[in-house]
Amino acid sequence: LTEARRRPGPRRAVTESDMLDAARALLDAGGPDAASIRRIAAAMSVPPNAVYTYFPDQAAVAHALVERLLGQVDRAAARSGATGWRRRIEALAVQLRSRLAAHPGLVPLLFGGRMDGPHAGALREKLLALLAEGGLADCEAARGAHAIVVYVLGAVAMEASDAPHVGALPPELERIAARRVAYAAAGDAFPRTAAAADVIAAWIGTDQFVWGLRRLIDGLAGPELP
Amino acid sequence: LTEARRRPGPRRAVTESDMLDAARALLDAGGPDAASIRRIAAAMSVPPNAVYTYFPDQAAVAHALVERLLGQVDRAAARSGATGWRRRIEALAVQLRSRLAAHPGLVPLLFGGRMDGPHAGALREKLLALLAEGGLADCEAARGAHAIVVYVLGAVAMEASDAPHVGALPPELERIAARRVAYAAAGDAFPRTAAAADVIAAWIGTDQFVWGLRRLIDGLAGPELP
DNA sequence: ACCTGAACACCGTTCAAGT
DNA sequence: ACCTGAACACCGTTCAAGT
């Protein structure tokens, strides 16, 4: 927008996009707290306060990181060839989940801000459109969209909090094993929880995520007709 | 457990419980980042490193805060007189939500750790038992319980992220107004989102929370028979 | 066993100064 | 307009020393 009229002073040494790339790399390598202003600055070989030329504060960096990720989801889901509004919603959600699973350090930032950027709005708009396509009245669609967002972000947050706080999520098999151990430790005190240990293999990963999402959608619109 | 055999040295100046009280008061007054080790220590009038006599690190403080809050939910929900397994699950979830709504600064801590304490286990166990009471097979109950936990924590996290980062949540009417403004700003770019502004009054608060939860439970167990 | 002062390596942000 | 060095007020954690 106001990009064209920068006149005096030297050219910007780096771009906002470069900084966000560096921030995400730091999050991937060091976990949710690794994308400090000072580390981003060090990665760009500028003094810490130079970052404030590009972003007003740390929250703005986080907001931009979230927006950029949501933008990638939007585009990827648009390419999806899934037919039917239920499958399209699932595809949208699965895209978001897999994007975030690749960068779990970014997940806590989702809840730090308001997710009110244009890409967030576009995703919400698409979700509302798909629910309308499913025949939901405006009120049910609005409330249903909110419930779906809550489920998707909650699932992603829980998965990220299960993972070690550094790097990408470990392979699903490893996480399954870790879960199994944790629940076996529940022992006699919580028999149902311990008994559920065998089901846990299905808990983690895309399967459980989609399973729960489908049940929620069924609750919103009724079970799918065969 | 090992409480009895502390022999030499002076009596502990304060208790763990005192420290957790101070930490929660700091969170309430200053938002999610206010419960620093140094501020807790200052509130107890001890040097910062004295905290490490009680907790091994900051994560342990957060874990204890979460466990303590989950314990309060457990007891409060047990007293609930709601009849029927669906209403009992709702009562459990509403209790948890209202406990956390009173201390939104604590919400981010839920996703920082693993929620593997005894009170967390007791809640999960109760949820599994209620789903079994509803006739769900073990596998469906296990997966359904996870989906419900995801929904409840996701809803709480989204509500907390909407709030200003300090103090308790503002009255619901104020939050409704803020939401209305935010969505009106969506304007022409996102017509459905803007059109949903009128529904937003219902989005926030216990009503929307229970509405979505009921839809999820309906998806898990089928709609309630009248 | 509990508590302490002092230090280490961080952190976000601001300010006045340079070009 | 952009970049810089220096500083301010924090932070979690560790260490050696006291009782």
Side-chain angles (χ1 to χ4, degrees):
Chain A
L1 299 178
T2 62
E3 193 70 24
R5 50 172 158 77
R6 279 188 285 93
R7 197 47 60 91
R11 220 68 181 88
R12 303 195 106 176
V14 296
T15 68
E16 289 94 344
S17 188
D18 290 335
M19 291 212 160
L20 295 177
D21 287 340
R24 209 177 61 177
L26 286 165
L27 287 175
D28 291 346
D33 300 326
S36 67
I37 298 273
R38 292 180 108 103
R39 275 149 110 126
I40 295 171
M44 313 301 297
S45 302
V46 296
N49 48 2
V51 175
Y52 292 87
T53 306
Y54 302 83
F55 301 96
D57 54 24
Q58 174 143 278
V61 179
H63 193 267
L65 279 168
V66 169
E67 258 292 290
R68 166 189 256 211
L69 185 129
L70 294 179
Q72 292 170 350
V73 171
D74 199 10
R75 265 176 255 127
R79 266 189 266 112
S80 158
T83 77
W85 64 275
R86 291 174 201 254
R87 294 297 164 278
R88 304 267 294 275
I89 290 179
E90 286 173 25
L92 210 64
V94 167
Q95 283 286 344
L96 177 56
R97 176 184 169 276
S98 75
R99 279 280 170 200
L100 284 166
H103 308 285
L106 211 147
V107 171
L109 305 185
L110 287 172
F111 297 97
R114 274 188 183 266
M115 284 195 292
D116 54 2
H119 287 131
L123 277 176
R124 201 182 288 270
E125 189 76 7
K126 181 152 218 165
L127 180 55
L128 285 165
L130 287 168
L131 288 170
E133 188 182 327
L136 270 71
D138 286 357
C139 177
E140 266 74 29
R143 308 188 82 171
H146 190 249
I148 287 173
V149 170
V150 157
Y151 174 82
V152 170
L153 296 184
V156 166
M158 285 213 64
E159 283 199 77
S161 79
D162 271 356
H165 288 245
V166 50
L169 289 180
E172 295 199 348
L173 284 178
E174 283 180 39
R175 292 192 282 149
I176 289 166
R179 275 269 197 177
R180 215 183 271 272
V181 168
Y183 278 83
D188 302 339
F190 306 121
R192 290 182 190 279
T193 302
D198 285 341
V199 189
I200 289 167
W203 280 32
I204 296 190
T206 313
D207 279 353
Q208 166 64 19
F209 176 76
V210 172
W211 186 91
L213 180 59
R214 270 188 202 176
R215 297 310 167 106
L216 177 57
I217 295 174
D218 285 350
L220 294 171
E224 193 172 7
L225 300 179
Chain B
L1 299 178
T2 61
E3 194 69 24
R5 49 173 157 77
R6 276 189 285 92
R7 198 46 63 89
R11 218 69 178 95
R12 307 195 103 176
V14 296
T15 67
E16 288 96 343
S17 188
D18 290 335
M19 290 214 159
L20 295 177
D21 286 339
R24 210 178 60 178
L26 287 165
L27 288 175
D28 291 346
D33 299 326
S36 67
I37 298 275
R38 292 179 108 103
R39 276 149 110 126
I40 295 170
M44 314 302 298
S45 301
V46 296
N49 48 5
V51 176
Y52 292 87
T53 306
Y54 301 82
F55 301 96
D57 55 25
Q58 176 145 276
V61 179
H63 192 268
L65 280 168
V66 169
E67 257 294 290
R68 169 191 253 209
L69 185 130
L70 294 179
Q72 291 170 349
V73 171
D74 199 11
R75 265 176 255 125
R79 265 189 266 113
S80 156
T83 75
W85 64 276
R86 291 173 200 254
R87 295 296 163 279
R88 303 268 293 277
I89 290 178
E90 286 174 24
L92 210 62
V94 167
Q95 284 287 343
L96 176 55
R97 176 184 169 276
S98 75
R99 280 283 168 196
L100 284 166
H103 308 285
L106 211 146
V107 171
L109 304 185
L110 287 172
F111 297 98
R114 274 187 183 270
M115 285 194 293
D116 53 2
H119 287 131
L123 277 176
R124 198 181 290 270
E125 189 76 7
K126 182 155 217 162
L127 181 55
L128 285 165
L130 287 168
L131 289 171
E133 188 182 325
L136 270 71
D138 286 356
C139 177
E140 266 74 29
R143 309 188 82 169
H146 190 248
I148 288 173
V149 170
V150 157
Y151 175 82
V152 170
L153 296 184
V156 166
M158 285 215 64
E159 284 198 79
S161 78
D162 272 354
H165 288 245
V166 50
L169 289 181
E172 294 200 349
L173 283 179
E174 284 181 38
R175 291 191 282 148
I176 289 166
R179 275 268 197 175
R180 216 182 272 273
V181 169
Y183 279 83
D188 302 337
F190 306 120
R192 292 182 188 277
T193 302
D198 286 342
V199 189
I200 289 168
W203 278 32
I204 296 192
T206 311
D207 280 352
Q208 167 64 19
F209 175 77
V210 172
W211 186 91
L213 180 60
R214 268 187 204 177
R215 297 309 166 109
L216 177 57
I217 294 175
D218 285 350
L220 293 171
E224 193 171 9
L225 301 179

